[in-house]
Amino acid sequence: MMETTQNGLKRSMKSRHLFMIALGGVLGTGFFNMSGYAIQTAGPLGSVLAYLIGGLIMYFVMLCLGELSVAMPTAGSFQEYSTRFIGPSHGFVVGWLYWLGWAATVALELVMIGGAMQRWFPDIHIVIWSILFGSVMFLVNAFSGRSFAEAEFWFASIKISAVVLFILIGGAAMFGFIDIKSASSAPLFSNFTKDGLFPTGIGSIFVTMLAVNFAFQGTELVGVAAGESKDPERVIPRAIRQTVWRTILFFGLAMTVLNAIVPFKQAGVLESPFVFALEQIGVPYAADIMNGVVLVALLSVANSGLYASSRMLYSLSGNKMAPKAFGKINASGVPFIALIVSFAVAALSFLTYFLPSDKVYQGLMNIAGMTAILSWIMICASQFFFRRKYLAQGGKIEDLKYRTPLYPFVPIFGFICCVAVFVSNWFDEATKIYVQYGVPAVLVMYLVYFLFMRKNGEEIKKQKADFMPIINIKRNEKA
């Protein structure tokens, strides 16, 4: 019989689902298409180092999320943790901005899905494909949390297989086992050295960190899905461990191979450096193959976006920061009204792509680019204050089923790194707009909270001051 949480959600996700949700989340269009920007901005070695540094930051964030999500597995994840351990105003801001960011992202993915399909079916309008695939993703999420997880498992499997094949084929070309059209001999690491190790300067590594961190964003979905996972104290740490080292391995190897084949001065002007690399190796129908992989990545992000946005509305409702109706669960364990509202808002922002209000659409997307790094900041801060409050209420470190190591260094270092990544966007004209839109959006949301939601927030703060009765700690074996 399927376990049900106190709030009606079904604990239907297995370890393989959580692992693929996290790993699949980082293998999105931000990696397949934006890697060219990272290569051109930071150079060959710089871009590889940028992804490794991004992976390290992700590792620290995931260590913090692990302790929180095992101790308190909840569908709201960092929105709930921010509300409890930092303050209701912070939970309100991160929850609503994260929801808005995902709703806008779903809209963008649907538009891009239509564009990808037009490559093969140019006579069918983008809107038709967007509506068709959008409806399918809605039905997948509406059926059950398990159906979302199963779809994401297969989407992620395809993306991972594609990356592994690229590493194998590209690696063979890199070491001369397969000929490259534009090279008379195996390139090996020549592209890394011919223009100098850091042709654009060492500082460019940090300038490109937003694009890199954008590629890693999605791993925090493990925390969102924790509230619907079976045996969270066992499967969440396992999913986090597997995700971190495999993500760093995949990204590091793929970027190394990519830089060995693609000259860095050409990378930024390519639609996708992966297509260029495959064409240089002589893989037939390279563009069509990559278009198919990108299509799967788009479907995966749209699927995850609907799940994340509906669960965030559900969490906000539970904390009296959104209408009560958003917290209602249907017989399948899905917050159906929250899902409908999230999909409707996504559809509305999708329409702005075709209307003169394109500035509104671009503004939403720029806010979306900022919300994930904001959620990482809140995760690190929440773990820091959770541990302090846990000890203050009489908790014992050895009773926690999963502990963030090297406390308080890990949450503090993770917090500083995430803030530094966000601030660094101001120094690059290509990413400066994220700060220009993101900071005002955060300030507006805080203003909304203090004008309209402060009373509800104070009630929630009092109700949730004592969290020990619900925390998932080791049981006394003698009891």
Side-chain angles (χ1 to χ4, degrees):
M1 185 177 178
M2 189 178 298
E3 183 184 351
T4 303
T5 68
Q6 291 180 344
N7 295 323
L9 295 174
K10 306 290 186 182
R11 293 198 180 278
S12 57
M13 297 187 194
K14 298 180 179 179
S15 177
R16 66 181 178 91
H17 293 132
L18 285 187
F19 168 58
M20 285 301 192
I21 287 170
L23 190 54
V26 300
L27 294 175
T29 53
F31 177 56
F32 292 115
N33 288 336
M34 288 297 291
S35 50
Y37 166 79
I39 293 171
Q40 189 182 55
T41 303
L45 181 59
S47 61
V48 174
L49 289 176
Y51 274 94
L52 292 178
I53 293 171
L56 180 64
I57 296 173
M58 177 199 70
Y59 178 55
F60 282 107
V61 173
M62 293 291 279
L63 287 175
C64 293
L65 182 60
E67 179 171 305
L68 291 166
S69 56
V70 170
M72 296 178 60
T74 172
S77 187
F78 45 85
Q79 192 280 324
E80 175 71 17
Y81 308 143
S82 299
T83 299
R84 282 183 179 271
F85 306 122
I86 308 178
S89 62
H90 303 290
F92 176 84
V93 171
V94 71
W96 276 108
L97 286 179
Y98 193 77
W99 170 80
L100 179 62
W102 268 117
T105 299
V106 171
L108 175 64
E109 303 307 300
L110 294 180
V111 172
M112 294 177 69
I113 286 169
M117 291 301 295
Q118 272 206 322
R119 176 181 176 85
W120 298 317
F121 304 96
D123 296 330
I124 301 178
H125 199 278
I126 287 177
V127 175
I128 303 300
W129 293 117
S130 299
I131 292 174
L132 175 62
F133 284 104
S135 300
V136 171
M137 292 299 97
F138 175 82
L139 291 174
V140 167
N141 276 269
F143 189 74
S144 68
R146 174 67 177 268
S147 65
F148 149 75
E150 199 64 44
E152 194 56 30
F153 174 85
W154 291 107
F155 286 147
S157 297
I158 294 171
K159 291 186 291 183
I160 292 168
S161 299
V163 172
V164 170
L165 283 174
F166 173 79
I167 292 171
L168 293 175
I169 295 172
M174 177 180 171
F175 290 100
F177 297 106
I178 299 175
D179 292 332
I180 296 179
K181 293 179 182 179
S182 58
S184 57
S185 60
L188 297 176
F189 296 95
S190 59
N191 277 339
F192 285 83
T193 57
K194 69 178 181 180
D195 294 301
L197 291 179
F198 299 100
T200 58
I202 295 180
S204 61
I205 296 174
F206 302 98
V207 172
T208 193
M209 284 307 298
L210 180 73
V212 171
N213 273 76
F214 183 75
F216 282 111
Q217 288 162 10
T219 51
E220 73 278 355
L221 285 174
V222 168
V224 179
E228 296 172 76
S229 64
K230 294 180 178 179
D231 196 11
E233 66 272 13
R234 182 182 63 84
V235 302
I236 292 174
R238 182 182 177 189
I240 288 175
R241 285 193 299 269
Q242 291 182 343
T243 299
V244 169
W245 75 262
R246 292 187 188 185
T247 297
I248 295 175
L249 181 66
F250 287 157
F251 273 73
L253 289 176
M255 289 301 296
T256 300
V257 171
L258 204 58
N259 277 291
I261 299 173
V262 181
F264 93 94
K265 292 181 180 178
Q266 294 179 252
V269 298
L270 301 171
E271 181 180 357
S272 172
F274 286 89
V275 173
F276 179 85
L278 291 174
E279 288 178 340
Q280 291 302 302
I281 296 171
V283 175
Y285 306 106
D288 285 314
I289 292 172
M290 189 50 59
N291 192 60
V293 174
V294 168
L295 178 61
V296 171
L298 292 169
L299 288 168
S300 174
V301 174
N303 186 42
S304 296
L306 284 175
Y307 176 82
S309 56
S310 63
R311 268 49 177 189
M312 198 54 63
L313 275 188
Y314 166 83
S315 178
L316 286 163
S317 175
N319 285 322
K320 298 182 180 180
M321 297 174 182
K324 189 176 180 179
F326 295 165
K328 292 184 178 179
I329 303 294
N330 65 12
S332 299
V334 175
F336 193 65
I337 297 176
L339 178 63
I340 291 175
V341 171
S342 298
F343 185 71
V345 171
L348 288 174
S349 56
F350 153 70
L351 288 176
T352 64
Y353 182 85
F354 303 98
L355 300 174
S357 54
D358 60 314
K359 290 185 177 180
V360 175
Y361 185 81
Q362 289 301 320
L364 289 173
M365 290 316 304
N366 290 322
I367 293 172
M370 178 273 303
T371 52
I373 195 68
L374 176 63
S375 70
W376 284 21
I377 290 172
M378 291 296 184
I379 288 169
C380 293
S382 295
Q383 193 278 328
F384 177 82
F385 288 109
F386 161 74
R387 181 75 73 87
R388 289 182 63 182
K389 291 185 178 182
Y390 172 74
L391 294 175
Q393 292 191 12
K396 297 179 180 179
I397 296 296
E398 58 270 21
D399 285 341
L400 292 172
K401 294 183 179 180
Y402 182 86
R403 297 183 290 275
T404 301
L406 301 178
Y407 179 89
F409 169 76
V410 167
I412 292 175
F413 185 73
F415 179 88
I416 292 173
C417 286
C418 290
V419 171
V421 167
F422 180 72
V423 173
S424 69
N425 297 307
W426 184 258
F427 300 99
D428 183 9
E429 290 301 320
T431 59
K432 190 175 183 178
I433 194 169
Y434 289 105
V435 181
Q436 292 174 328
Y437 278 94
V439 172
V442 170
L443 295 177
V444 166
M445 292 307 297
Y446 274 110
L447 180 62
V448 170
Y449 172 83
F450 284 109
L451 288 177
F452 304 106
M453 302 300 300
R454 188 172 183 176
K455 184 177 179 180
N456 286 356
E458 291 302 318
E459 291 180 9
I460 289 294
K461 187 176 181 178
K462 292 178 181 178
Q463 292 174 9
K464 298 192 173 185
D466 181 14
F467 59 89
M468 291 298 287
I470 63 168
I471 196 169
N472 190 10
I473 61 176
K474 290 182 179 178
R475 292 177 176 83
N476 190 332
E477 295 179 359
K478 296 181 180 180

